[in-house]
């Protein structure tokens, strides 16, 4: 990735805390510290994860393009995230472990690596640091002790809660006043809380709870919110630059993070950035609506670069629509850009020396438009439009005759550095490869149908032979309650 010689000082971003676009000024000149709330690794990553991860990957790549050194920390929640995001109920990982008859850390590792595979397919850069909650129990306990000492947390029957009323600024990120927040939740009847709005920092482990650690308050495990405060401060320091995450985490998770850190006396994140959600066929994705889709499943039907192109074609603060029509538009758009790049590379070796001054100026204008779009709160739709403008000018020039090697090189570098380096496209994917992916999906559907017919006819030897043949070429078939599924 080509970067500017000096860090660009003209970047503006939308800060959720201030509810407006503001100039970005780093804590340390030339450096950016970013923290992203990562996944709870108890199941396969879904399209919502893809939206968030690609959005902040582009933001990270943009800072790098503009000359900044970026430390990018994304946590992994492998304990403490309870069902319904509450202070009660089962730990999500422990519940999955019981379902799959695995140890909790087996579940966490299984879905962590599944998540990393999905991110690699989508060409998301690996974080600088991927801290896990279970690896930072000591840091979380220390932060909890600081809060108790300062009078902002209290122990109750082996659990520790944050005293929301002790911190009047609670709610400043989301704009929710403490007195306006509902008390009529199921936590209201809990006898170990002083106030229904107090949230868990440490939970006492019941005898059946597998994941537990010793603490000053007895055997237990950390609450969901405390890990991010502790780990972001550990690896990025006081007053780090940017904290990011999905809009659904603004309250209560991010609100709790801020309260925990600041009430303990630590300067916390200076800018807050949130990506919006996605819809499928105009509806919010949910298991109850039958439109819940994992990244693994969508990559069986669409090339990863087409999926990424669809994601960067909408602004990170806008809702992204996933539908057949949206994928078809993305597929055609990505084909157009990738074919232009392919044609430039095909002609490069035989191109005559020299350049076209007028075309060079148009290329430079498109590059400027692309970079200006990113400086304006990472406006990827406008950046993509600049790439289409570049593609149109290059296609017209190539159709009209020969183009000098120096101009082709300038155009190639623009596609690679902007479309590839910043937007993360052109990573081995193409529209032609998506055609292959669709063909493969159709063929596998036929193979699985044939295998199912063998089993129905009690031709188990033939069924096993078909499965073994697929295994030999790297295709795994899994029999689930919803029918057979395949994966590479």
């Amino acid at each position: 990735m080509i970067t500017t010689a000096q860090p660009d000082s003209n970047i503006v971003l939308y800060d959720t805390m201030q509810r407006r676009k503001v100039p970005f000024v780093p804590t340390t000149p030339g450096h950016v510290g970013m923290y992203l709330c990562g996944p709870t690794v108890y199941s396969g990553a879904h399209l919502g994860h893809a939206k968030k991860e690609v959005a902040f990957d582009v933001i990270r790549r943009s800072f790098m393009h503009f000359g900044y050194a970026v430390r990018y920390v994304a946590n992994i929640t492998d304990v403490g995230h309870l069902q319904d995001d509450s202070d009660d109920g089962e730990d999500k990982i422990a519940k999955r472990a019981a379902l799959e008859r695995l140890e909790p850390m087996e579940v966490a590792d299984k879905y962590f690596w599944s998540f990393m595979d999905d991110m690699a397919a989508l060409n998301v850069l690996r974080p600088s640091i991927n801290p896990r909650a279970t690896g930072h129990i000591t840091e979380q306990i220390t932060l909890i002790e600081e809060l108790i000492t300062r009078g902002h947390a209290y122990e109750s029957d082996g659990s520790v809660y944050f005293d929301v009323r002790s911190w009047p600024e609670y709610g400043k990120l989301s704009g929710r006043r403490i007195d306006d927040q509902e008390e009529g939740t199921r936590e209201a009847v809990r006898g170990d809380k002083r106030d229904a709005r107090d949230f868990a920092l440490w939970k006492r482990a019941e005898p059946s709870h597998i994941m537990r650690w010793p603490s000053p308050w007895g055997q237990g495990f950390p609450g969901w919110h405390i890990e991010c405060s502790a780990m972001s401060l550990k690896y990025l320091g006081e007053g780090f630059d940017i904290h990011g995450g999905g809009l659904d985490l603004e309250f209560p998770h991010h609100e709790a993070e801020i309260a925990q850190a600041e009430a303990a006396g630590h300067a916390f994140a200076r800018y807050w950035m949130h990506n919006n959600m996605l819809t499928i066929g105009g509806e919010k994705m949910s298991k109850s609506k039958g439109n819940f889709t994992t990244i693994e499943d969508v990559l069986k039907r669409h090339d990863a670069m087409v999926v990424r192109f669809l994601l960067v074609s909408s602004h990170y603060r806008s809702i992204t629509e996933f539908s057949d029509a949206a994928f078809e538009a993305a597929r055609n758009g990505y084909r157009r850009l990738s074919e232009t790049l392919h044609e430039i590379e095909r002609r490069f070796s035989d191109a005559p020396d020299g350049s076209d001054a007028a075309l060079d100026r148009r290329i430079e204008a498109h590059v400027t438009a692309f970079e200006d779009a990113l400086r304006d709160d990472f406006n990827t739709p406008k950046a993509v439009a600049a790439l289409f403008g570049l593609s149109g000018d290059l296609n017209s020039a190539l159709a009209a005759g020969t183009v000098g090697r120096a101009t082709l090189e300038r155009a190639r570098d623009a596609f690679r550095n902007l479309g590839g380096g910043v937007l993360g496209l052109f990573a081995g994917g193409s529209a032609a490869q998506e055609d292959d992916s669709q063909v493969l999906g159709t063929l596998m559907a036929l193979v699985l149908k044939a295998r199912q017919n063998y089993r129905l006819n009690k031709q188990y030897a033939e069924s096993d032979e078909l499965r073994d043949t697929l295994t030999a070429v790297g295709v795994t078939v899994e029999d689930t309650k919803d029918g057979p599924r395949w994966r590479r």
Side-chain angles (χ1 to χ4, degrees):
M1 183 185 298
I2 303 298
T3 61
T4 54
Q6 295 294 327
D8 196 309
S9 60
N10 298 309
I11 298 171
V12 298
L13 54 80
Y14 186 88
D15 180 18
T16 307
M17 183 74 77
Q18 300 183 61
R19 295 171 179 77
R20 62 186 177 92
K21 290 181 183 179
V22 295
F24 172 73
V25 181
T27 301
T28 303
H31 295 262
V32 178
M34 294 180 67
Y35 185 89
L36 181 68
C37 284
T40 300
V41 283
Y42 73 102
S43 65
H46 54 71
L47 289 180
H49 293 119
K51 163 89 175 179
K52 177 192 68 176
E53 297 293 335
V54 169
F56 284 96
D57 183 60
V58 171
I59 293 170
R60 174 191 186 182
R61 288 169 177 263
S62 298
F63 276 119
M64 294 165 62
H65 177 78
F66 288 129
Y68 289 91
V70 181
R71 174 176 286 181
Y72 190 87
V73 180
N75 74 300
I76 298 296
T77 298
D78 53 1
V79 69
H81 195 168
L82 306 187
Q83 295 293 119
D84 301 320
D85 300 343
S86 68
D87 286 342
D88 261 336
E90 292 183 86
D91 185 292
K92 292 185 177 184
I93 291 174
K95 182 176 180 179
R96 174 67 68 163
L99 183 67
E100 298 190 14
R101 297 184 179 181
L102 298 172
E103 286 292 326
M105 291 314 296
E106 283 184 282
V107 169
D109 265 11
K110 173 184 175 179
Y111 290 111
F112 167 74
W113 289 113
S114 172
F115 174 79
M116 295 302 286
D117 288 344
D118 289 340
M119 293 306 101
L122 291 171
N123 199 28
V124 172
L125 299 175
R126 285 197 174 189
S128 310
I129 305 172
N130 245 150
R132 293 192 180 199
T134 53
H136 297 78
I137 300 297
T138 300
E139 289 83 354
Q140 293 173 73
I141 289 175
T142 298
L143 185 57
I144 294 169
E145 289 177 321
E146 291 174 358
L147 288 167
I148 292 174
T149 299
R150 288 172 169 264
H152 297 297
Y154 59 92
E155 187 270 340
S156 178
D157 195 24
S159 295
V160 181
Y161 295 96
F162 185 89
D163 185 352
V164 168
R165 286 203 168 276
S166 75
W167 192 248
E169 292 190 23
Y170 183 76
K172 66 179 180 179
L173 177 67
S174 60
R176 302 189 187 196
R177 294 173 52 196
I178 292 176
D179 290 337
D180 293 338
Q181 292 169 26
E182 291 187 8
E183 294 189 51
T185 61
R186 62 178 175 176
E187 285 90 342
V189 299
R190 289 184 59 89
D192 55 351
K193 283 187 177 184
R194 294 176 182 172
D195 190 293
R197 289 152 293 198
D198 295 348
F199 56 87
L201 302 172
W202 185 265
K203 289 288 292 178
R204 182 190 66 192
E206 300 298 335
S208 61
H209 203 282
I210 301 174
M211 303 179 79
R212 58 174 63 214
W213 289 264
S215 79
W217 317 286
Q219 291 284 321
F221 57 94
W224 174 32
H225 310 304
I226 193 70
E227 65 176 274
C228 288
S229 298
M231 294 191 295
S232 59
L233 288 169
K234 177 181 174 100
Y235 293 110
L236 294 174
E238 305 255 342
F240 62 90
D241 294 307
I242 297 171
H243 193 310
L247 193 60
D248 58 322
L249 296 180
E250 181 183 11
F251 186 90
H253 184 55
H254 290 164
E255 201 73 76
E257 283 189 58
I258 295 169
Q260 292 165 160
E262 294 184 350
H266 303 287
F268 206 48
R270 298 170 55 245
Y271 300 95
W272 286 85
M273 301 181 71
H274 292 90
N275 66 278
N276 213 322
M277 303 296 102
L278 58 86
T279 56
I280 298 178
E283 292 189 318
K284 182 180 178 181
M285 184 178 70
S286 70
K287 291 182 179 178
S288 63
K289 293 180 179 179
N291 62 0
F292 185 84
T293 308
T294 65
I295 297 173
E296 180 182 8
D297 286 340
V298 84
L299 292 182
K300 290 178 181 177
R301 303 192 302 273
H302 303 282
D303 181 77
M305 288 297 98
V306 172
V307 177
R308 185 170 178 117
F309 181 81
L310 174 56
L311 290 167
V312 301
S313 295
S314 66
H315 194 271
Y316 77 92
R317 287 193 289 115
S318 299
I319 293 174
T320 300
E321 165 67 6
F322 276 75
S323 64
D324 291 341
F327 273 115
E328 182 64 18
R331 181 171 176 271
N332 291 335
Y334 184 64
R335 177 193 293 276
R336 178 178 164 189
L337 294 180
S338 59
E339 286 181 348
T340 300
L341 177 57
H342 175 73
E343 187 63 14
I344 292 170
E345 293 173 335
R346 189 182 71 82
R347 295 209 192 181
F348 185 77
S349 60
D350 296 329
D353 293 334
S355 62
D356 181 327
L359 185 54
D360 284 347
R361 287 193 295 273
R362 291 200 296 275
I363 293 171
E364 188 59 33
H366 293 306
V367 170
T368 299
F370 183 100
E371 293 181 333
D372 284 346
L374 292 178
R375 291 186 183 97
D376 182 15
D377 193 30
F378 311 99
N379 194 324
T380 54
K382 285 189 175 180
V384 169
L387 282 185
F388 278 122
L390 175 62
S391 175
D393 281 345
L394 263 296
N395 288 338
S396 296
L398 292 169
T402 58
V403 177
R405 182 180 288 111
T407 296
L408 287 180
E409 183 175 21
R410 182 186 296 268
R412 181 192 65 187
D413 289 347
F415 269 104
R416 288 180 175 177
N417 295 331
L418 304 181
V422 179
L423 296 184
L425 303 171
F426 312 129
S430 68
Q433 283 178 307
E434 177 160 2
D435 286 337
D436 292 342
S437 179
Q438 290 181 336
V439 170
L440 178 59
T442 301
L443 291 175
M444 281 303 303
L446 292 172
V447 170
L448 292 181
K449 184 177 181 180
R451 180 172 175 268
Q452 198 72 352
N453 287 335
Y454 279 140
R455 291 165 66 87
L456 289 173
N457 293 324
K458 298 184 179 181
Q459 294 174 271
Y460 298 120
E462 289 83 354
S463 172
D464 291 343
E465 181 182 6
L466 194 56
R467 182 198 60 203
D468 294 342
T469 300
L470 291 172
T471 301
V473 296
V475 175
T476 299
V477 176
E478 297 175 336
D479 293 308
T480 72
K481 61 182 179 63
D482 297 318
R485 297 174 57 188
W486 68 276
R487 61 182 174 84
R488 293 179 180 179

